[in-house]
Amino acid sequence: MEENRSVTNASISPAVRAMLEQEAKRVTPARIIYLMLAIAILIFSAIQSELDAGELLQGSRNMTEYISRYFPPDFSHWRLYVEEMIETISMAIWGTLLAAIISVPLSLLASDNICPAWVVFPVRCLLDAMRAINEVVFALIFVVAVGLGSFAGVLALFVHTSGILAKLLSEAIEAIDPAPVEGIRATGANQLQEILFGIMPQVLPLWVSFTLYLFEANVRSASVLGIVGAGGIGVSLYQSFRSFEYTQVCTILIILTTSVAVIDMISSKLRQKLI
């Protein structure tokens, strides 16, 4: 028996033996503890969130009846909704554009391979605050500052999107290949030239991709800001809900979904050409 086992072990190639040893190392007491901890967190979160599949099944009949009230959609005010959708898209365009501009210097200041820790830490705290606070909360603040209308929505999208985009871009900057930067530095270039010719060309495709994706997200977000008076199609959406005009709500949702789908298609084409 021992001889057969030794012959079998001898017939296993070194590559296979290394793979088997690696597989054996993956199951460790520490990983088992982490798995049990993750399961415990999921169970606790389910209890805190009051997840109840039975309640969902019991309410499915009411949900079906409620959704049936949305049909057929009422297109009598479609011109107004299209105008407000254009306003919503315009808000998203300017909010995203301003964020794309300001995110570049913010991302550089938040990258620990570019700036010292005493600069990186406060900038990252600022970005955390910009991301943590929802656009609706920012919209409420700016409505008080500049009044009702689309401008408050643009500012809300600008601040929130800047935090997200700067964070993503700073992580991309920290993961760049240092060789091109060192090569440019060896020619006697200053730090600004290192950033322009060594760092930005590496992260520019990601910057474009992130910006286009966040623009799509901002169109959806801008459609909600009207609830707090920040302009866009959200105003009509909120009023239709409050007046129980569900067929008009359906029309608004159709226009919103179609707009997002068209923007997604255009963004995909732009990504293919620019990246």
Side-chain angles (χ1 to χ4, degrees), residues 198-262:
I199 296 176
M200 295 311 297
Q202 296 189 59
V203 300
L204 184 61
L206 288 174
W207 178 75
V208 173
S209 180
F210 292 152
T211 301
L212 290 174
Y213 172 75
L214 288 173
F215 169 62
E216 299 171 24
N218 281 342
V219 172
R220 297 189 291 269
S221 299
S223 66
V224 182
L225 297 182
I227 294 175
V228 295
I233 200 171
V235 176
S236 293
L237 183 63
Y238 181 57
Q239 291 176 349
S240 298
F241 267 118
R242 290 194 62 184
S243 59
F244 305 103
E245 298 288 347
Y246 297 120
T247 54
Q248 294 182 14
V249 171
C250 184
T251 302
I252 294 172
L253 294 179
I254 290 172
I255 293 174
L256 178 61
T257 304
T258 304
S259 301
V260 172
V262 171

Side-chain angles (χ1 to χ4, degrees), residues 137-158:
V137 179
F138 279 125
L140 286 169
I141 296 172
F142 286 119
V143 162
V144 175
V146 301
L148 299 172
S150 302
F151 186 39
V154 171
L155 294 175
L157 293 173
F158 159 59

Side-chain angles (χ1 to χ4, degrees), residues 155-177:
L155 294 175
L157 293 173
F158 159 59
V159 175
H160 185 71
T161 306
S162 297
I164 298 174
L165 189 54
K167 173 63 175 176
L168 293 173
L169 197 57
S170 68
E171 292 180 350
I173 291 173
E174 291 175 349
I176 62 169
D177 182 6

